[in-house]
């Protein structure tokens, strides 16, 4: 895939998210819509991504055809549901790691309620300890954990990211002061092509591992 083709995909995906905001065509069932709304309403700590970011994750997984997906920092399962909906279409699987055991239990409950338990596996524990236990490589990684650990997670996951695999990280605009080393790394690493997109005001970095 040429850099031009990849940038075109990013532009198209961002446009699709804008067009899908408020739309439900081929999106989710009424029960899933209610579940997503309920999770957001109960998220007093504001750990979940925005709806726009959730839609963006879904569009990127479907458009890239990703099948082996890892989420680092799953919180209450909101983003996992969006990605699980995408993986239902690509035939893939998501492993979502959440450090806090109580949040991980709720995330697993939410995934089951969404009808995605066959597609999404929630793993409780420290991601630095759990990732080495996982087998194989990944073609899509979404990072939304402790911001000061972003660079460490990039170092851990980049060797396990497939060529043309995507690495996305959340809060790169509104919390950029907490991750200067990570932002410098994704911009300067010759193995990556990176763009910063803003489906919502929080910002998301989108990096592709060059073949």
């Amino acid at each position: 895939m040429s850099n031009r083709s990849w940038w075109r995909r990013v532009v198209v995906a961002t446009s699709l998210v804008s067009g899908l905001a408020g739309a439900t065509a081929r999106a989710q069932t009424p029960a899933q819509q209610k579940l997503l709304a309920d999770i957001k309403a109960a998220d007093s700590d504001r750990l979940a991504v925005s709806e726009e970011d959730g839609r963006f994750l879904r569009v990127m997984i479907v458009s890239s055809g990703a099948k082996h997906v890892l989420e680092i920092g799953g919180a209450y399962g909101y983003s996992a549901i969006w990605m699980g909906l995408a993986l239902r279409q690509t035939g893939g699987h998501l492993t979502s790691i959440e450090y806090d055991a109580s949040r991980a239990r709720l995330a697993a409950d939410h995934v089951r309620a969404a009808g995605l338990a066959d597609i999404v596996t929630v793993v409780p524990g420290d991601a630095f300890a759990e990732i080495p236990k996982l087998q194989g490589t990944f073609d899509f990684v979404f990072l939304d954990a402790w911001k000061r650990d972003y660079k460490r997670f990039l170092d851990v996951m980049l060797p396990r990211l497939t060529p043309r695999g995507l690495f996305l990280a959340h809060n790169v605009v509104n919390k950029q002061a907490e991750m200067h080393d990570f932002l410098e790394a994704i911009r300067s690493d010759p193995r990556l092509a990176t763009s910063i997109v803003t489906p919502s005001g929080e910002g998301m970095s989108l990096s592709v591992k060059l073949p």
Side-chain angles (χ1 to χ4, degrees):
M1 182 190 300
S2 69
N3 284 351
R4 179 176 297 177
S5 297
W6 182 73
W7 291 119
R8 186 181 299 116
R9 176 179 292 174
V10 173
V11 171
V12 170
T14 306
S15 300
L16 282 171
V17 171
S18 298
L20 283 172
T24 57
R26 297 197 63 191
Q28 58 272 355
T29 66
Q32 289 168 338
Q33 292 177 44
K34 183 178 186 305
L35 176 63
L36 287 166
D38 289 346
I39 296 171
K40 286 292 287 182
D43 182 22
S44 58
D45 296 326
R46 302 185 67 178
L47 297 175
V49 302
S50 68
E51 180 179 347
E52 293 82 1
D53 288 341
R55 290 182 182 277
F56 182 76
L57 290 169
R58 183 180 184 183
V59 168
M60 290 308 302
I61 288 175
V62 173
S63 64
S64 67
K67 292 189 175 182
H68 306 286
V69 181
L70 176 66
E71 177 180 39
I72 304 170
Y76 299 107
Y78 185 82
S79 50
I81 291 173
W82 281 108
M83 290 188 282
L85 290 169
L87 290 163
R88 176 73 77 194
Q89 295 169 293
T90 67
H93 182 269
L94 166 67
T95 300
S96 176
I97 304 175
E98 169 50 44
Y99 179 82
D100 184 86
S102 61
R103 286 199 294 264
R105 284 192 295 271
L106 277 174
D109 289 344
H110 292 151
V111 165
R112 281 192 294 271
L116 296 170
D118 59 323
I119 293 174
V120 178
T121 300
V122 177
V123 176
D126 184 336
F128 288 114
E130 297 301 327
I131 289 172
K133 301 175 186 177
L134 302 177
Q135 300 297 311
T137 57
F138 298 89
D139 51 15
F140 192 102
V141 176
F142 176 53
L143 176 59
D144 192 14
W146 182 249
K147 310 311 170 191
R148 299 189 187 280
D149 284 338
Y150 272 27
K151 174 60 165 57
R152 289 180 62 200
F153 280 121
L154 177 68
D155 293 341
V156 168
M157 292 310 306
L158 194 51
R160 298 184 62 178
L161 191 66
T162 60
R164 299 186 177 89
L166 298 177
F167 188 103
L168 288 80
H170 196 235
N171 299 115
V172 299
V173 171
N174 67 331
K175 295 187 179 181
Q176 60 181 294
E178 300 176 34
M179 58 180 81
H180 286 308
D181 55 346
F182 169 76
L183 293 172
E184 174 60 25
I186 60 175
R187 287 168 174 150
S188 62
D189 194 312
R191 295 169 293 178
L192 298 173
T194 295
S195 179
I196 304 296
V197 297
T198 52
S200 70
E202 297 162 338
M204 188 126 28
S205 64
L206 173 58
S207 303
V208 62
K209 186 175 182 180
L210 300 174

